Amino acid sequence: MRYLPKLFENNRRWVAEKTSVDPDFFARQQNSQEPPFLWIGCADSRVPANEIVGLEPGQLFVHRNVANIVAEDDGNLQAALQYAVDNLKVRHVIVCGHYGCGGVQAAMGDPVEPPLEDWIDHIRRIYRDRQAQLDAIEDMDARWRKLCEVNVAEQVANVCASRIVSDAWRRGQQVVIHGWIYDLGSGLLEDLDLTTDGLRAEPGSTDDGVATSSTRDSP
Ligand code: CO
């Protein structure tokens, strides 16, 4: 092994540890996955999804990007959401932001080079929409923290408004959307109380949640 031998050593040790307590662990892994959760989080190395919620391989379907953005035109995110909801039938979608998010901070500062700037612009728009409220917070750290929270709320709303989730709700599939934030300094998660299960009728919805014209296949 010529490159990064330490990482391969770590991998071998991890396999040995797993199989010492559960010899069939990897045999089961290769058959299927039935994770109850989709995690949409920041790519930040300090926010390792499985680790901070104590979940094993197979329990958490994960999509991470810079600043946990849920964009309608992001085929990567939307494909992960589609697979998680339509195929894996996850019961919960967790959007998890974090305080100290560099992507969110960048949106409070001068433009950066594309393509990062194009991505950060999703958060600049959120900032502009709430500029008066955010600028009223004089302490810059507090303003940054608030924008981290507002960003989570906005991305939860984007998940709820997505065609994939609204179609799932319309056909009666149970999928609950959550907005959480992680504190790098304490390691603690906080529920931002944004939980939505789709049972309340959305404005413009045409019926009581019973699918009328869906041609999607049942599993
Ligand atoms: Co971040």
Side-chain angles (χ1 to χ4, degrees):
M1 202 114 19
R2 276 197 280 174
Y3 301 109
L4 303 176
K6 180 67 183 162
L7 301 192
F8 284 87
E9 278 172 34
N10 291 350
N11 169 253
R12 299 299 190 270
R13 190 169 59 247
W14 175 70
V15 171
E17 285 167 4
K18 283 282 176 216
T19 49
S20 71
V21 292
D22 184 356
D24 297 329
F25 182 80
F26 292 102
R28 282 199 312 277
Q29 290 284 311
Q30 65 183 345
N31 293 332
S32 67
Q33 61 168 337
E34 293 178 4
F37 312 103
L38 166 63
W39 175 280
I40 299 173
C42 183
D44 193 302
S45 65
R46 298 163 295 180
V47 193
N50 282 70
E51 204 167 337
I52 65 180
V53 287
L55 290 178
E56 292 290 327
Q59 298 181 312
L60 194 64
F61 195 70
V62 174
H63 180 91
R64 291 168 67 183
N65 62 40
V66 172
N68 42 274
I69 290 167
V70 177
E72 193 180 5
D73 61 355
D74 177 4
N76 187 355
L77 178 286
Q78 296 295 333
L81 181 62
Q82 178 185 348
Y83 188 69
V85 171
D86 290 358
N87 298 77
L88 297 174
K89 305 255 185 306
V90 296
R91 304 297 294 264
H92 303 272
V93 176
I94 298 157
V95 177
C96 186
H98 66 103
Y99 296 122
C101 184
V104 171
Q105 187 181 37
M108 299 168 68
D110 294 332
V112 297
E113 289 292 308
L116 188 54
E117 177 58 28
D118 303 325
W119 188 250
I120 294 301
D121 191 57
H122 287 107
I123 307 176
R124 289 195 197 280
R125 273 181 262 150
I126 296 169
Y127 193 100
R128 280 196 294 271
D129 286 347
R130 293 168 182 75
Q131 185 129 19
Q133 177 201 358
L134 287 161
D135 286 355
I137 305 170
E138 286 187 14
D139 180 78
M140 288 305 284
D141 270 352
R143 191 186 299 179
W144 183 11
R145 288 170 69 87
K146 185 65 182 176
L147 186 55
C148 290
E149 295 171 1
V150 169
N151 182 44
V152 171
E154 193 72 20
Q155 307 315 333
V156 165
N158 289 343
V159 171
C160 295
S162 69
R163 185 186 54 78
I164 292 150
V165 167
S166 50
D167 279 359
W169 283 340
R170 208 166 289 132
R171 57 178 187 262
Q173 185 177 333
Q174 284 184 22
V175 53
V176 184
I177 319 302
H178 308 263
W180 296 356
I181 198 149
Y182 177 73
D183 190 325
L184 296 174
S186 67
L188 295 173
L189 279 170
E190 187 187 337
D191 189 327
L192 290 174
D193 204 17
L194 301 163
T195 305
T196 310
D197 60 11
L199 292 178
R200 279 167 297 172
E202 310 148 64
S205 71
T206 52
D207 56 37
D208 57 1
V210 179
T212 50
S213 61
S214 175
T215 55
R216 283 164 181 276
D217 297 329
S218 296

